[in-house]
Amino acid sequence: MRIKQLFRKLMKEIDIMKFNKTNNISLEDFLNKDLGLDEFQESYAEEASYRALNNPKGFDTLDGKGGVGKTVTQTRVAQHLLRRNKKILVLAPTHKALDVLRSKLNIETNLLRFATVAKATKATRSLSSINGELNFYANSLELNEADAVMLDEGSFVDDREIKAILGGTLTSEVRLLVSGDACQLPKPKSNKISMFMDKRSAHNPKRNCYITTLTKVYRTEGKGILLFSDFIRNQWVIPERRGLTFNTVLSSILKVAKHYPDVHIYNKNKENMKYMHELIAAKKGSIVYIAYKNAVIDELAAYNIEREYRKGVADNPYFPKKSLWYTTAPLYNEDTALLQNGQYVYVSGIHKIEERDYHDYTFRVVSLEVQTTSKPARRLFVDVVHPEDKVFYDMLMDSFDVEANNTTNKKEKKLIWKQKNDIRESFLHIKHASFFTAHKSQGSEYPVVIIDLKDVLSITSTFVKNKAFYVAVSRARKHLIFLI
């Protein structure tokens, strides 16, 4: 299909992403809801709920590729537990993944509680004397008298979070129910699979720990995309094949893409990029661009906004009104976290732009008025680094890392990390919600996904490269576009 034809088709077919449109239903209606599961899914739901009620120590992991019905199967488990008035704490590593669970478990009840993993494990901001990263303490999981804990995107939970979650559930004798895809990405800078998804170490019936794999496709929409992502999974990820280069992948895609009408391949030239930017701007949040490097994402996002400003659509070239963004780090005030990592916000307007001093460094700061998309919606005034000073800010953060690594004195190292954290936590860190790295896209799905193939395949680690490529491909629901 030519780019112009695809452009017209997507402009008609795809709607702008909508938030907060799911109405809650009564508990009785939810319990009587037919989810249309097959025998294997029903069998797992019954066994997992039985173990949650009778053998609380240990965990159940539900593994499977996208579209096999992991979330809807966990919803069936929730039906069994809620029918017996059991309290469930629902966790996910990102807000995007948590929103998916909320849309399935949209019930008017006080038996459910939702939280990100970081919030539930009480991630502190106190500095470690070793590397200044967030500390996670075992047994600090806030269970709120829960009878079961459900965790989605189990592959994206790191060792410290696992330690806190397992410590809390085992001590409190609460069953842990995990779902995820072992072929997806682990946390950034991690080159190993999450313990929850590792069949070699986690599946241990003697310890009451089980891993179950779903294989049959449950989703009816976009089956062509599912089959294509399954081809990528079986061809490259499961065997962990080396030699995943641009040429080898392109030749494989060209051979099989003709069998999948929803997979499109175009050159990354000026004319095609013009159509891509037009689609992204017109269909906010529903059509996303995925690459690997943050620099590529930031450059494309800035160009997209500036382009809209030149056309007279946007009111300013930095943070236009009604533009959609997502947070990449929590924002704290003195008491609590105002915004969590991975939360969507709309920009209501720019309040002011001014220069401010932070520890002998001067930045231009943009004060924004933003509105959260999650329920209940809130309006907040937040500070962000001016985009034109972002390069200097990033260089400064890197210089703190270098200085700390070259210092052997523990007190000096702690002071350096404190100075870095004081500056870092003074700002809200946001990125445009239509441009994602492969890591940040995990846990969410979009009608149309555009993949920068060369950039995604520029990763040096075979382990991360294969998984990042698969994650990028499996984010699409209706159309997948490769730019080469």
Side-chain angles (χ1 to χ4, degrees):
M1 187 184 294
R2 291 185 177 181
I3 187 81
K4 285 185 180 179
Q5 292 174 303
L6 179 65
F7 175 78
R8 293 193 193 102
K9 182 179 180 180
L10 296 182
M11 288 294 277
K12 289 180 182 177
E13 278 186 15
I14 307 302
D15 296 322
I16 295 173
M17 183 185 284
K18 295 177 182 177
F19 295 95
N20 298 334
K21 296 299 180 184
T22 306
N23 295 320
N24 288 344
I25 62 175
S26 68
L27 180 59
E28 185 180 353
D29 289 341
F30 174 76
L31 295 178
N32 295 326
K33 192 175 180 180
D34 182 16
L35 302 176
L37 302 185
D38 61 30
E39 289 182 8
F40 188 76
Q41 290 168 318
E42 285 285 3
S43 174
Y44 167 81
E46 288 177 10
E47 289 174 10
S49 56
Y50 176 83
R51 286 193 284 266
L53 293 167
N54 299 287
N55 302 304
K57 284 195 173 183
F59 60 86
D60 280 282
T61 295
L62 189 62
D63 177 33
K65 60 192 176 186
V68 295
K70 297 186 295 293
T71 305
V72 77
T73 305
Q74 293 289 61
T75 304
R76 183 61 172 156
V77 176
Q79 282 183 330
H80 286 305
L81 296 177
L82 292 172
R83 189 170 277 115
R84 291 161 179 79
N85 291 318
K86 300 300 180 182
K87 293 181 180 179
I88 305 172
L89 174 61
V90 183
L91 303 179
T94 65
H95 273 273
K96 289 193 281 287
L98 203 60
D99 288 341
V100 174
L101 291 168
R102 276 198 182 101
S103 68
K104 300 290 184 185
L105 299 168
N106 54 327
I107 319 162
E108 295 173 352
T109 179
N110 58 0
L111 297 175
L112 280 175
R113 180 171 175 265
F114 295 87
T116 58
V117 170
K119 186 177 179 181
T121 53
K122 293 183 179 176
T124 70
R125 290 186 292 152
S126 59
L127 294 172
S128 163
S129 60
I130 302 171
N131 54 16
E133 294 180 355
L134 294 175
N135 293 319
F136 293 82
Y137 296 106
N139 303 329
S140 66
L141 185 65
E142 193 176 302
L143 294 174
N144 236 23
E145 298 180 353
D147 299 297
V149 174
M150 283 188 172
L151 170 65
D152 195 22
E153 294 297 327
S155 64
F156 210 61
V157 182
D158 66 23
D159 289 344
R160 295 167 299 167
E161 293 166 332
I162 288 172
K163 184 179 178 183
I165 292 169
L166 280 177
T169 53
L170 291 172
T171 304
S172 305
E173 294 193 1
V174 174
R175 190 72 179 174
L176 179 60
L177 304 162
V178 185
S179 60
D181 186 348
C183 291
Q184 289 191 2
L185 284 161
K187 275 280 179 98
K189 299 182 181 178
S190 174
N191 265 347
K192 63 179 183 178
I193 194 169
S194 163
M195 188 205 81
F196 289 136
M197 312 306 300
D198 191 349
K199 293 181 182 179
R200 293 167 296 183
S201 60
H203 187 71
N204 191 339
K206 289 183 180 178
R207 293 188 175 182
N208 208 16
C209 299
Y210 300 85
I211 291 184
T212 305
T213 303
L214 297 179
T215 55
K216 188 178 178 181
V217 174
Y218 172 82
R219 191 200 300 163
T220 56
E221 181 188 36
K223 279 206 171 181
I225 298 293
L226 288 175
L227 292 171
F228 181 77
S229 65
D230 199 28
F231 162 76
I232 299 297
R233 191 178 193 258
N234 295 331
Q235 183 85 358
W236 299 102
V237 185
I238 292 174
E240 290 189 26
R241 282 179 59 184
R242 297 185 182 275
L244 188 70
T245 64
F246 175 76
N247 290 330
T248 55
V249 170
L250 181 59
S251 61
S252 294
I253 290 175
L254 287 171
K255 284 178 185 176
V256 300
K258 58 186 178 183
H259 303 296
Y260 305 103
D262 298 329
V263 177
H264 316 277
I265 304 170
Y266 298 107
N267 289 319
K268 191 182 175 182
N269 55 35
K270 278 189 176 181
E271 184 184 358
N272 291 345
M273 286 302 292
K274 182 187 80 172
Y275 284 111
M276 294 299 109
H277 279 293
E278 192 77 32
L279 282 169
I280 288 167
K283 308 297 181 181
K284 290 185 179 69
S286 290
I287 299 179
V288 300
Y289 191 104
I290 296 179
Y292 177 69
K293 299 186 189 76
N294 274 304
V296 173
I297 294 298
D298 293 341
E299 184 181 345
L300 285 166
Y303 175 78
N304 188 271
I305 294 170
E306 190 181 346
R307 184 174 173 276
E308 293 296 293
Y309 179 66
R310 289 199 307 268
K311 290 172 62 179
V313 178
D315 62 323
N316 70 79
Y318 305 116
F319 302 99
K321 282 185 179 178
K322 297 184 179 179
S323 57
L324 183 64
W325 301 74
Y326 70 96
T327 59
T328 59
L331 178 69
Y332 295 92
N333 64 7
E334 293 178 358
D335 303 316
T336 184
L338 295 173
L339 291 169
Q340 296 288 341
N341 186 10
Q343 225 170 325
Y344 285 107
V345 293
Y346 280 113
V347 172
S348 301
I350 293 178
H351 182 55
K352 60 183 176 180
I353 300 176
E354 62 182 5
E355 286 191 352
R356 290 189 200 165
D357 295 327
Y358 296 91
H359 289 273
D360 301 326
Y361 302 100
T362 303
F363 301 108
R364 276 182 296 173
V365 177
V366 183
S367 292
L368 297 177
E369 184 184 358
V370 299
Q371 181 176 343
T372 60
T373 59
S374 55
K375 291 182 180 180
R378 293 184 298 158
R379 297 181 86 86
L380 301 168
F381 284 96
V382 296
D383 294 333
V384 298
V385 178
H386 195 287
E388 292 178 8
D389 287 359
K390 189 70 168 61
V391 174
F392 171 67
Y393 172 82
D394 290 338
M395 289 172 63
L396 179 62
M397 294 294 106
D398 291 340
S399 71
F400 281 124
D401 294 339
V402 173
E403 190 179 353
N405 290 331
N406 292 334
T407 303
T408 54
N409 187 300
K410 286 187 177 181
K411 285 187 178 179
E412 287 182 14
K413 193 183 284 263
K414 193 170 183 177
L415 285 172
I416 294 167
W417 287 123
K418 186 179 186 309
Q419 190 175 4
K420 177 184 175 180
N421 253 32
D422 286 345
I423 296 174
R424 188 171 177 273
E425 291 180 2
S426 301
F427 304 106
L428 175 66
H429 299 267
I430 57 176
K431 287 188 181 289
H432 198 286
S434 296
F435 299 87
F436 290 94
T437 60
H439 276 98
K440 287 294 182 183
S441 69
Q442 191 157 305
S444 53
E445 291 179 331
Y446 307 93
V448 182
V449 169
I450 305 163
I451 298 176
D452 191 325
L453 193 59
K454 276 190 177 178
D455 189 62
V456 171
L457 297 176
S458 66
I459 307 167
T460 52
S461 165
T462 300
F463 176 84
V464 178
K465 184 194 294 185
N466 293 8
K467 289 178 179 290
F469 181 47
Y470 168 64
V471 165
V473 169
S474 58
R475 297 309 91 200
R477 287 186 74 98
K478 293 182 178 179
H479 293 273
L480 182 62
I481 302 170
F482 288 105
L483 294 180
I484 60 175

